[in-house]
Amino acid sequence: GADAFVPSGKVPRAFTTLSSTTVKISEVPTTPIPGMKPGTSGLRKKVEVWQGKTGEKYYVENFIQSLLDTASASNGGRVPETIIVAGDGRYFNDEAIQIICCVLAANGVKDIRVPVAGIMSTPAVSAAIRASPDIKGGIILTASHNPGGPGEDFGIKYNLEYGQPAGEDFTDELYERSTRIQSFKTLEGAVDIDLNAKVGTQIHLTPSSVVTIIDPFEDYVNVLKKCFDFPAMSAFGKRPEFSLLFDGMHGAGGPFARRVLVEELGLDESCLFRCNPLPDFGKGHPDPNLTYAAELVKKMGLLPDGSADPNVDLKQLPTLGAANDGDGDRNLIAGAGCFVTPSDSLAIICDNWSAIPHFAGGPKGVARSMPSSAALDVVAEALGIPCFSTPTGWKFFGNLMSSKELFGKTDYTPFLCGEESFGTGSDHIREKDGLWAALAWVSILMAANKDTPQGQPLVSVRDIVTRHWAKYGRHFYCRYDYEGVDSNDANSVMDLIRSEFVAGEIADNGDIQLVSGEEFSYTDPVDFSTASKQGLILNFTYPNGDPARVVFRLSGTGSAGATIRVYLEKYEKDIEKHGESAPVALKNLANRAIELVQLQKLTGCDAPTVIT
Ligand code: G6P
Ligand code: ZN
């Protein structure tokens, strides 16, 4: 299980223990199970549903058979030969891997690759798929930042051959197949794959199908080494003025942080916090935001609203704090007494591209999800590069990256992108990457301090952020989440916005004045596919003429009920006002918007459950 995860991050290498299980393939009759429609990032359900404890037999088998049939259909009717199966280590990870391997083997998948302990971060899976031309897809067992353990979430998503999450054409077809499935193939009799076997161990499930235990780290670390200057970071990490605190939140990112930060860069072991994967994430909610990464937030001298705690001596704190989510693709970045919003982090990385070797020559293009702030846009404009605004979901960035259509026939088209939902990354893989974001910030700090004499205090994260605002203005930003809302109530809020403020005439003379409303839809500039109903935008103007915006969107990643997200943003040029805390600066705007859309009345929610 996850507890046995190789603690050092180095994987023992010994080839090749052969153990063979001779089992018979059987075709098992089944019936369709409703509700297998993948959301923003795979299918997520309470773990008991996947375990078949809620009455639906063969939940995993039905889903995987439908997935495999979809993958085969898009592969000329042939089952993909090589597939990687890995998870974030949450409760049911190991059992699910065993079930999935049986279904894959019975369907004729020849080469199944499973990491040691069954654990790999999402970015590492993406890197591994891209590193081997043989690997045609990756089945990733995760519900990302949702809690794990009995009563909590489990999920499965599928990544395609460039390492990117399957698009809606794939997931729609998968769903459609799940509604008419009649049987699945599996292996008869007990199959027990030892997930803690050494790298290179092969387990023959059928005469033509073998599971190989692989090193989770190698391909990913190689990719990071190309993105960043490891020797220089390692030297910078030895400066006594620098320290880092990395919160793995007991997810899959922890062992990768250990491998990179401690074993590759030589930072002290004490920089790792909660970096051992646990099936229930230590009963935590593995989402790196101000609410759920409360411990790290406190250790970085911050109050829960993200402002600096006036009673803490910032000089005693780590230079940089970073947290990852359950599957290691999200990130939170903080400096001593300074929370960096994901939208600001993205803009600052963009402005400091020269600190990151991967962006040599400057990024050719950048993108953000629509609800993210426009902080990136102003930097892109200054750099004279295109900036795309996409629907929420990392998959929308895939086509833009390295696109010959958009960037011409140059071979090297480094691309930067990110989302307000604590996702940041580039074209080095096809997923967001929590550890990459932390290393980007180490690189930025390193560049900012290249002339800081030894023994002198470093230019801090806070300095970098405030200088950025002084240069470009500040986009005050925060998000209210209303979790556990009745789905019908949530929809009635969205419907009201549509009918009153998008379709209807707006005649508002409130203090913060509503000027227009629109519903976001998107046409991909590369393949011209479209996505509609991707968020409702209300545009406001302050009495002094400053623009502001509030976006309403329903979460696509929950497993029960609905979550309404309210994204608040206000631009402030005046440097004197940059010091205010974001939730305070945005309070009036929030009140105004929430009242306009009658959120309280329609949902019965008096206050958001999370403000981040
Ligand atoms: C996942 C996706 C992200 C997306 C986020 C949105 O983390 O990987 O790309 O931004 O979900 O979540 P939501 O709950 O707002 O739909
Ligand atoms: Zn995640």
Side-chain angles (χ1 to χ4, degrees), residues 40-41 145 330 392-394 419 421 432 553 555-557 565:
T40 315
S41 195
H145 49 284
R330 290 189 172 194
T392 294
W394 202 262
E419 300 183 273
S421 54
K432 53 187 177 283
R553 202 187 135 260
S555 158
T557 56
R565 301 207 194 284

Side-chain angles (χ1 to χ4, degrees), residues 41 44 122 142-145 157 286 325-330 432:
S41 195
R44 296 181 192 171
T122 286
T142 175
S144 188
H145 49 284
K157 64 175 185 166
D325 73 337
D327 63 330
D329 57 356
R330 290 189 172 194
K432 53 187 177 283

Side-chain angles (χ1 to χ4, degrees), residues 231-557:
M233 283 197 292
S234 170
F236 180 65
K238 293 196 173 59
R239 288 183 66 157
E241 309 84 25
F242 175 80
S243 62
L244 172 72
L245 186 61
F246 186 95
D247 182 358
M249 298 192 97
H250 293 306
F256 290 84
R258 174 184 298 276
R259 172 61 184 265
V260 169
L261 300 175
V262 176
E263 293 174 17
E264 298 285 344
L265 299 181
L267 296 184
D268 193 80
E269 179 77 35
S270 61
C271 74
L272 304 176
F273 173 51
R274 305 198 291 183
C275 280
N276 56 324
L278 294 176
D280 64 352
F281 305 105
K283 303 229 175 329
H285 193 139
D287 198 0
N289 60 31
L290 289 172
T291 302
Y292 295 124
E295 277 185 72
L296 178 85
V297 164
K298 188 153 184 261
K299 285 177 196 283
M300 294 308 295
L302 294 164
L303 295 172
D305 73 351
S307 59
D309 183 343
N311 299 316
V312 170
D313 178 7
L314 300 184
K315 287 194 217 67
Q316 306 301 319
L317 303 177
T319 323
L320 179 65
N324 275 189
D325 73 337
D327 63 330
D329 57 356
R330 290 189 172 194
N331 76 89
L332 177 147
I333 297 292
C338 176
F339 164 61
V340 189
T341 67
S343 296
D344 277 349
S345 171
L346 179 63
I348 292 168
I349 294 172
C350 184
D351 197 41
N352 289 275
W353 61 264
S354 61
I356 298 165
H358 177 72
F359 294 128
K364 295 284 180 289
V366 294
R368 63 166 171 95
S369 65
M370 179 279 286
S372 309
S373 91
L376 178 69
D377 307 35
V378 294
V379 178
E381 199 185 335
L383 296 179
I385 54 174
C387 177
F388 300 89
S389 169
T390 58
T392 294
W394 202 262
K395 60 190 171 208
F396 292 100
F397 296 136
N399 273 359
L400 304 175
M401 290 178 183
S402 314
S403 156
K404 299 257 186 297
E405 291 86 340
L406 297 176
F407 303 115
K409 292 209 185 322
T410 52
D411 286 339
Y412 196 62
T413 51
F415 194 85
L416 169 71
C417 46
E419 300 183 273
E420 54 65 40
S421 54
F422 295 81
T424 322
S426 83
D427 60 312
H428 66 295
I429 52 170
R430 290 297 178 274
E431 290 275 8
K432 53 187 177 283
D433 189 343
L435 189 52
W436 182 94
L439 296 181
W441 273 90
V442 174
S443 304
I444 291 172
L445 281 163
M446 186 168 75
N449 285 288
K450 65 179 187 319
D451 298 324
T452 310
Q454 295 286 339
Q456 290 298 306
L458 295 176
V459 173
S460 67
V461 170
R462 173 187 279 271
D463 296 333
I464 291 167
V465 170
T466 50
R467 286 174 196 175
H468 185 86
W469 292 337
K471 184 170 170 191
Y472 290 106
R474 177 171 180 189
H475 292 81
F476 279 104
Y477 193 84
C478 96
R479 190 179 95 188
Y480 284 14
D481 292 340
Y482 295 81
E483 297 166 318
V485 179
D486 177 86
S487 293
N488 292 328
D489 293 351
N491 283 321
S492 54
V493 172
M494 301 303 274
D495 287 341
L496 181 137
I497 302 173
R498 275 188 198 104
S499 61
E500 303 236 332
F501 308 124
V502 176
E505 276 292 302
I506 295 173
D508 181 47
N509 45 25
D511 196 19
I512 302 173
Q513 194 191 355
L514 174 65
V515 288
S516 64
E518 62 187 290
E519 182 146 31
F520 182 64
S521 55
Y522 179 70
T523 302
D524 184 295
V526 176
D527 66 12
F528 304 107
S529 58
T530 57
S532 59
K533 297 198 169 179
Q534 297 295 322
L536 292 156
I537 308 169
L538 298 182
N539 296 305
F540 292 87
T541 308
Y542 272 68
N544 68 357
D546 279 352
R549 180 182 91 151
V550 181
V551 177
F552 289 82
R553 202 187 135 260
L554 298 185
S555 158
T557 56

